[in-house]
Amino acid sequence: MPRPHHAHALPHHPAFRLAAMVAALTVAAAMLAAASPHASAARSSMGDARPPGPAPASSVVRLLNVASASVAPPRDEPPELPKSLRLEQQFAKYTLRANGIGWRSTGQCSNRAVAACTSFEGVRWGTIKGLIDFAKESGCEITVTGGTEHGHAGGTYGHGNGYKLDIATGDCVDRMIERYPSTGVRGDGARLHRSPDGTVFAREKDHWDITFR
């Protein structure tokens, strides 16, 4: 039998949190746009004049508009957001879909509390953006197999803190990562490679464990 709804539980409801995130990111996007040099120059040259008609939607707004859609959104440039920003599951998932990146889990689920799931709840924006950049640079098909769900090793820069993602191995992915300089072997025997931007790739048994700093 479903539990009765209570007013004090509303802030913890997923739909409420997603709506709050949408509002916060929309405000952040407006602030970033207002603070940009191009916006300042335009205001200086045009005074308070506004161009006729609605302004084009920002990449943040376009992503948010498709966050609850049942089809994959069109590919788009990721928005400029703070790397430390923690993301909700829906926003992270549809940002990845918008950039051609898929995911899978052995449990076919996204519950962060279940080790068999693949969750993006609480992942850092810098981690998602880093994977998008790697996908674009490599041109490889990327499939995420691990995120912030329980069951991974801990640590400040671990999965649970939103700094790591696991991706499936494959000929294209392996070749791309192995072009990066080798930095030795991790304590558990995983071979390490480091990209020029400082991202660390560890070759585990059936996937690459990636740390985005």
Side-chain angles (χ1 to χ4, degrees):
M1 179 176 180
R3 293 181 300 174
H5 294 285
H6 297 288
H8 68 269
L10 183 58
H12 302 288
H13 193 281
F16 183 95
R17 295 202 315 271
L18 181 58
M21 183 197 71
V22 169
L25 287 174
T26 302
V27 170
M31 292 175 66
L32 286 168
S36 70
H38 297 296
S40 299
R43 284 195 296 271
S44 298
S45 62
M46 299 178 62
D48 292 331
R50 297 287 191 274
S58 70
S59 54
V60 176
V61 174
R62 287 195 293 274
L63 279 171
L64 293 173
N65 285 341
V66 298
S68 60
S70 59
V71 296
R75 296 198 182 196
D76 200 356
E77 281 299 312
E80 293 296 328
L81 297 171
K83 288 185 177 181
S84 59
L85 181 68
R86 303 287 175 164
L87 305 182
E88 294 272 358
Q89 173 74 19
Q90 285 293 89
F91 185 74
K93 183 174 71 172
Y94 282 93
T95 302
L96 292 175
R97 288 186 73 191
N99 287 274
I101 297 173
W103 58 90
R104 66 170 182 253
S105 71
T106 55
Q108 302 299 311
C109 52
S110 60
N111 188 337
R112 187 175 184 178
V114 179
C117 298
T118 296
S119 176
F120 301 119
E121 188 72 25
V123 70
R124 296 168 65 253
W125 171 249
T127 300
I128 293 295
K129 179 63 164 55
L131 185 62
I132 292 170
D133 291 344
F134 172 72
K136 288 181 177 179
E137 178 187 359
S138 67
C140 300
E141 180 177 342
I142 306 295
T143 302
V144 180
T145 61
T148 59
E149 66 280 350
H150 289 186
H152 297 281
T156 302
Y157 300 106
H159 283 270
N161 282 339
Y163 284 86
K164 282 190 173 188
L165 292 173
D166 293 338
I167 66 171
T169 59
D171 290 342
C172 181
V173 169
D174 295 350
R175 282 197 305 271
M176 182 63 191
I177 294 174
E178 289 166 358
R179 291 176 185 171
Y180 298 140
S182 172
T183 57
V185 178
R186 203 167 62 181
D188 60 356
R191 292 180 288 106
L192 300 175
H193 295 267
R194 183 186 296 269
S195 69
D197 66 2
T199 301
V200 176
F201 301 80
R203 181 61 160 86
E204 297 192 0
K205 182 179 179 181
D206 59 357
H207 65 269
W208 287 96
D209 174 83
I210 313 175
T211 306
F212 300 91
R213 297 285 289 271

